[in-house]
Amino acid sequence: LCAGLKLNFTVDSQPTQTYQHNNGIAYYVDYLLNNKFKGSGYLMQPVVMVNKEGQAEAEIAIAFHNSNKDIEPCEYSFVNSLYTFEGGTHITGYKRGISRAFKKIFDERAKKFLSKRDQDINFTGDDIRENIITVINVRHSAPEYVGNKKGEIGNRDLVGLLDGMASQLFTNALTAMPDNQFKALVNKVLIAAKSRDSARCHLNVPP
């Protein structure tokens, strides 16, 4: 979370151990890939964006993994180095931004190679996000945590900041993707959407 920070640990007469990661949250994305999606590799290497607005500064690192497992979205978020395991307004903004960006690029690029039937599939944000590894790191001078555990952040200014950042980062990443990688990602999203629809129909749950 703190790129470049060096920590030296010395215990009794044991050799000193040094921990330092200059790539910050991009390294964290690598760590998550190697531990949660062993052997899958990247569909696209991690990309990072940093932005500051008002009292908040935020970093986002995303990467598209190549795993075919039926999984939940892999998202880790932090505010002032505290793990916000219950989410909050930064995650709300992030979800909104990537959903909007993907639908825009989908309309521009995917419809050129998809069948009419696949073009009409209604995918959700979860269908997109389950193919992404995301780490969000926020520093805020006046954080408004929800509850005593500080597992959720409630600052409203983070919605717009993370929405704009996620939309721009995701748009840039998808636009730069070669056709073969973009097709592979779209196909994974469609598989996720079709699986969700199939499960819903099996349970007779309305859309």
Side-chain angles (χ1 to χ4, degrees):
L1 301 181
C2 302
L5 177 66
K6 181 185 287 187
L7 299 176
N8 295 318
F9 287 91
T10 303
V11 179
D12 298 330
S13 59
Q14 298 297 318
T16 298
Q17 293 183 313
T18 299
Y19 297 89
Q20 183 180 29
H21 298 293
N22 292 323
N23 292 331
I25 60 174
Y27 174 84
Y28 201 165
V29 170
D30 277 334
Y31 170 82
L32 292 171
L33 176 79
N34 293 328
N35 282 271
K36 289 184 172 291
F37 310 103
K38 291 181 180 179
S40 68
Y42 286 122
L43 191 59
M44 189 200 75
Q45 293 292 321
V47 289
V48 181
M49 174 175 281
V50 181
N51 195 16
K52 185 176 182 180
E53 188 177 285
Q55 296 177 296
E57 181 179 357
E59 302 174 89
I60 305 177
I62 64 169
F64 302 102
H65 62 77
N66 208 24
S67 175
N68 291 318
K69 295 179 180 178
D70 183 15
I71 55 170
E72 296 294 323
C74 181
E75 297 164 353
Y76 287 82
S77 63
F78 303 83
V79 176
N80 294 354
S81 297
L82 293 178
Y83 176 35
T84 45
F85 55 92
E86 294 180 327
T89 49
H90 53 342
I91 295 296
T92 299
Y94 162 76
K95 290 179 180 179
R96 185 184 301 174
I98 65 165
S99 295
R100 186 175 68 254
F102 184 83
K103 289 177 180 178
K104 178 177 181 294
I105 302 300
F106 180 89
D107 288 340
E108 294 175 357
R109 293 187 64 181
K111 291 188 175 182
K112 299 176 183 178
F113 60 83
L114 289 178
S115 67
K116 183 65 170 64
R117 181 180 179 181
D118 283 346
Q119 289 179 27
D120 294 336
I121 288 180
N122 292 320
F123 52 82
T124 68
D126 284 350
D127 300 327
I128 305 164
R129 290 166 40 239
E130 71 176 42
N131 294 286
I132 310 171
I133 302 171
T134 304
V135 176
I136 297 172
N137 187 29
V138 175
R139 300 177 184 88
H140 203 294
S141 61
E144 298 173 4
Y145 293 102
V146 178
N148 295 327
K149 295 181 179 179
K150 295 187 177 180
E152 181 180 352
I153 195 72
N155 296 73
R156 297 304 303 170
D157 57 338
L158 294 180
V159 177
L161 175 60
L162 272 297
D163 182 335
M165 289 178 67
S167 178
Q168 183 179 343
L169 181 61
F170 209 63
T171 297
N172 293 345
L174 292 177
T175 302
M177 255 188 167
D179 286 344
N180 62 324
Q181 292 181 358
F182 182 72
K183 289 179 180 179
L185 175 62
V186 169
N187 285 334
K188 290 182 69 182
V189 172
L190 291 177
I191 289 171
K194 290 175 181 178
S195 296
R196 174 179 47 77
D197 280 348
S198 177
R200 177 180 55 79
C201 291
H202 179 71
L203 296 172
N204 294 317
V205 178

